[in-house]
Amino acid sequence: MVFTETKLKGCFIIEPKIINDERGYFMESFNEQTFEKGTGEKVYFVQDNQSYSSRGVLRGLHYQTGEHAQAKLVRVLNGEVLDVAVDIRPDSETFGQHIAILLSGDNQKQFFIPRGFAHGFLVLSEKATFFYKCDNFYNKESEGGIKYNDSDINIDWQFDVNELIISEKDQQLPNLKNAKKVW
């Protein structure tokens, strides 16, 4: 696996070694020792989640606060999404900055997002199956979010905003300035 740290400290793009032959392909999608060596982080994943969505579905930007904060290892099993992480660590040099990564069933890239980040994704293909591992259990009382179109963050979703499909809950999320604090 190749681990590439992004401009946001602690966020890594992970490219697996894919072995192709006439039968298809094989790849190791996670190995605790390889992950720890590649990221320098000892992370114990305790929950796997999966979603299936249609083109234009935008989920996020979500996070968990305090002792329930979550690190995530995300990937797309089929289809294509624009995956976004926003640094919401108050003491970080990159607070309020984001990174967007194209994840697909074809490129098989994974994205590691440590605790202290808001996360969201937009489905670019007709359908997509999104899969992620979390290092902490979901806790409803600790959930927080940031509106997808916060002008201070200025995410280019690369999609016509009139075609976005966003839950009522996500449409009501506050801007970063007014969001539930992580700390």
Side-chain angles (χ1 to χ4, degrees), residues 52-175:
Y52 178 78
S53 304
S54 301
R55 178 178 169 79
V57 169
L58 192 154
R59 297 181 184 266
L61 300 158
H62 304 141
Y63 58 89
Q64 294 269 261
T65 61
E67 68 181 279
H68 299 287
Q70 294 178 320
K72 296 177 181 176
L73 179 60
V74 304
R75 67 188 182 122
V76 172
L77 301 178
N78 61 54
E80 184 177 79
V81 308
L82 184 67
D83 198 75
V84 175
V86 179
D87 188 345
I88 57 174
R89 301 171 295 183
D91 297 330
S92 172
E93 293 176 3
T94 55
F95 176 81
Q97 294 182 30
H98 73 280
I99 187 154
I101 306 293
L102 185 68
L103 300 177
S104 73
D106 290 336
N107 71 22
Q108 293 292 334
K109 291 180 181 179
Q110 298 182 66
F111 189 29
F112 174 65
I113 305 157
R115 293 179 181 196
F117 285 78
H119 172 255
F121 66 91
L122 169 67
V123 177
L124 302 174
S125 55
E126 287 307 310
K127 304 283 183 189
T129 305
F130 189 83
F131 177 86
Y132 59 105
K133 302 175 102 39
C134 299
D135 77 334
N136 207 349
F137 298 103
Y138 170 77
N139 179 276
K140 183 166 180 52
E141 291 74 35
S142 299
E143 71 181 10
I146 301 166
K147 193 152 189 163
Y148 73 96
N149 62 354
D150 183 331
S151 60
D152 289 337
I153 300 171
N154 196 29
I155 299 168
D156 177 4
W157 289 100
Q158 305 172 23
F159 205 84
D160 182 348
V161 294
N162 296 316
E163 295 181 33
L164 293 175
I165 303 166
I166 305 170
S167 72
E168 183 66 31
K169 180 180 175 181
D170 285 355
Q171 290 181 43
Q172 302 303 316
L173 292 173
N175 288 333

